Amino acid sequence: MQDVLEGLADNPALPERLLERLAQAGDEDIHHLLARRDDLTEAQARSLLAHDDADVWTLVARGRIAWAEVPRDVPHLLVAAAQAGIAPEAAVRELAAHPDPEVRGQAAYYVTGLPPDVLTALARDPDTHVAECAAQSSELSAELAEELARHPHVAVRAEFAGNAHAPPALLAALLADGGRPAPSRCGACHRRAERCPDHAPGVRRIRLAAAANPATPPAGLEEFLDPGEPWAAGEFAERTDLPADFHPRLATHPTPYVRRTVARNPRLDEPLLRQLADDPDPEVRRAVAENPAVPLALLTALAGRQKLPREPLPRILAATEAELYEPAVSRVAQVRALVAARPDLPAALVDLLAADPDIGVARRIALHPGLGEDRLTELVERHGPPVYGAVARNPGCPAALLRRMARDADSGRRTLRVIAAHPALPPDVVERLVADPDPRVAAAAAAHPALPGETMERLIEQACAGRPSA
């Protein structure tokens, strides 16, 4: 019953009169789902607040209750109110000056639009954690950014070095040597009186953070091509602004993660793509297939010997109609399936692939929005239950075909879950599926807007009747 109640809490057609009754029947999970509803009124939000296990944070963070009703003695709720923009500036300033550094850190990290002087005070906070949170802000002034780049603590500089909104010139300086002057405090020494003899590990941390930042200029990244720095190399290998001489070194890196990342880089030339297409790691070969610049002939060759993603591939999406015809008639079923996955296929290719005998091709083409009722019915009759799930995902699947598939005893639970969520499903089928023994099928049906209101009310009353008295 819990799954059905959760589905009802998500149902956009839940009558307003039933919301409070559902809240009475439900637990904290139901209250959380109700608090997240887009159509929740202020009166309903106040009603939810009356429950002991109400999700107050969600109600506040989504701006569902007025500032006057936000509990003043719960700091994280005040932060949520500031984040939602319902807290007055005076309250935001109080948060930024709160005696608990955790609260100040939350204000620095989560609240946007902070007054400049408040953000400056947080960046200069004596507690390192608070300054770290401020260093990640996207709203730093040029002067404050320079100050954070020179912060004496390694951790603050490292957070700033990872900030994609930081000025490139400052990031380049942090990449070069950790910034000047050198940091004087780190995690190993900030809790004791004596200082570390040096902060070499901390400086390395700063440089690695800058190397992984896409806003850092590529000049200076060459050192991180070293096999001993696989994490940093893997973070920047897909950047399209790298010098061309980086690519061969990345493509031959001993760490597969780095080769997988660079294999998706659209700036790679064809010889390197062909080299990576023969990589011993299957994930590297799959990454080549996902590269928007992979030659179509290489992609189809890969499909003949390597399992590829089901999602439409960038190169197929960019192909012209003339380029698509040859792979659409390939003898390799997976090649034809790659074409069938493209959502904007020309009508002639849709008709061609809809008649394909391969189930893999059928599952891909069944999703095509251009297929009419006759074509979808032909797919169901030709392939049976193995194609039901894909047909049910087609937004144009007609009600009669959904009813037919839902009635088939061979329809699996996974297929029924998809059918239960289809917007064209008739109300009587929705009502039948809400009683399905599979809880996920029942939940999907309970969330369907076509579920009759009287059925919703009956289910809620059943839950209320079965709930223990307080």
Side-chain angles (χ1 to χ4, degrees):
M1 193 62 179
Q2 176 70 13
D3 299 276
V4 171
L5 294 180
E6 290 180 4
L8 290 172
D10 271 337
N11 194 317
L14 180 73
E16 185 175 343
R17 62 185 175 83
L18 294 181
L19 189 141
E20 173 54 29
R21 192 61 173 151
L22 177 56
Q24 293 171 1
D27 57 10
E28 62 180 324
D29 292 331
I30 301 301
H31 297 155
H32 169 70
L33 292 171
L34 291 173
R36 293 183 59 83
R37 289 181 65 92
D38 291 333
D39 60 350
L40 196 69
T41 66
E42 189 172 319
Q44 290 171 332
R46 283 198 300 271
S47 177
L48 286 175
L49 277 176
H51 295 272
D52 291 338
D53 54 3
D55 187 354
V56 184
W57 187 91
T58 296
L59 292 170
V60 173
R62 292 173 68 86
R64 299 304 184 195
I65 61 177
W67 167 248
E69 297 179 86
V70 177
R72 300 295 197 271
D73 57 345
V74 186
H76 78 274
L77 294 181
L78 298 176
V79 173
Q83 188 179 1
I86 62 175
E89 183 177 318
V92 174
R93 290 183 177 278
E94 287 180 14
L95 282 172
H98 197 278
D100 185 349
E102 188 66 30
V103 175
R104 301 198 302 275
Q106 290 177 0
Y109 187 82
Y110 291 111
V111 182
T112 57
L114 288 170
D117 62 307
V118 172
L119 183 56
T120 298
L122 291 168
R124 294 173 179 171
D125 198 284
D127 187 281
T128 303
H129 168 70
V130 179
E132 286 179 60
C133 292
Q136 300 173 63
S137 173
S138 61
E139 301 171 337
L140 301 172
S141 66
E143 295 76 16
L144 191 54
E146 289 187 16
E147 187 175 321
L148 286 164
R150 298 192 303 269
H151 197 282
H153 202 287
V154 161
V156 177
R157 284 199 202 187
E159 291 296 345
F160 178 75
N163 188 331
H165 301 278
L170 294 179
L171 292 173
L174 293 170
L175 177 71
D177 57 9
R180 293 293 174 183
S184 58
R185 304 287 280 178
C186 72
C189 69
H190 80 279
R191 293 186 181 89
R192 58 178 193 251
E194 67 273 17
R195 303 290 178 90
C196 294
D198 64 60
H199 299 281
V203 169
R204 197 67 178 162
R205 176 183 167 189
I206 296 167
R207 298 185 67 211
L208 284 170
N213 191 331
T216 301
L221 289 174
E222 185 170 7
E223 176 185 337
F224 296 91
L225 298 173
D226 187 284
E229 301 289 1
W231 179 82
E235 289 296 306
F236 65 70
E238 202 171 347
R239 286 180 55 163
T240 57
D241 59 349
L242 296 176
D245 60 350
F246 280 25
H247 295 157
R249 296 176 63 181
L250 291 165
T252 55
H253 200 282
T255 304
Y257 163 64
V258 177
R259 302 198 304 277
R260 286 197 297 270
T261 306
V262 76
R264 297 186 182 91
N265 193 320
R267 296 294 300 275
L268 289 190
D269 58 25
E270 184 172 338
L272 280 179
L273 285 170
R274 291 190 176 278
Q275 174 186 317
L276 290 164
D278 290 327
D279 195 279
D281 188 301
E283 293 303 315
V284 175
R285 302 195 297 270
R286 283 170 60 91
V288 172
E290 295 168 349
N291 191 312
V294 63
L296 202 55
L298 179 56
L299 176 58
T300 55
L302 264 174
R305 65 179 193 269
Q306 162 82 32
K307 186 174 181 179
L308 298 181
R310 293 184 178 183
E311 296 74 23
L313 295 175
R315 182 62 183 90
I316 294 294
L317 292 174
T320 64
E321 183 174 351
E323 288 178 317
L324 288 172
Y325 183 78
E326 184 174 343
V329 297
S330 170
R331 292 189 299 173
V332 179
Q334 185 174 209
V335 174
R336 303 196 302 274
L338 292 178
V339 179
R342 177 167 162 163
D344 61 342
L345 278 177
L349 290 182
V350 172
D351 291 339
L352 174 69
L353 293 167
D356 198 289
D358 183 78
I359 183 62
V361 176
R363 285 174 172 154
R364 307 282 185 87
I365 199 65
L367 301 171
H368 198 281
L371 285 180
E373 181 175 354
D374 291 344
R375 286 295 194 189
L376 289 171
T377 302
E378 287 173 11
L379 286 171
V380 165
E381 291 176 348
R382 183 182 305 121
H383 298 282
V387 80
Y388 284 3
V391 171
R393 287 185 177 88
N394 190 307
C397 186
L401 193 54
L402 290 166
R403 185 191 303 277
R404 170 180 169 177
M405 294 188 294
R407 285 178 173 172
D408 193 326
D410 291 327
S411 288
R413 300 296 100 187
R414 185 178 299 177
T415 296
L416 287 177
R417 292 171 204 152
V418 178
I419 293 173
H422 197 287
L425 194 64
D428 63 300
V429 183
V430 177
E431 194 163 7
R432 179 165 60 82
L433 291 179
V434 84
D436 193 274
D438 185 296
R440 293 175 65 185
V441 174
H448 200 291
L451 184 67
E454 57 269 22
T455 303
M456 296 187 200
E457 186 168 11
R458 173 174 55 79
L459 291 167
I460 293 171
E461 292 306 321
Q462 286 176 359
C464 286
R467 181 173 180 173
S469 300

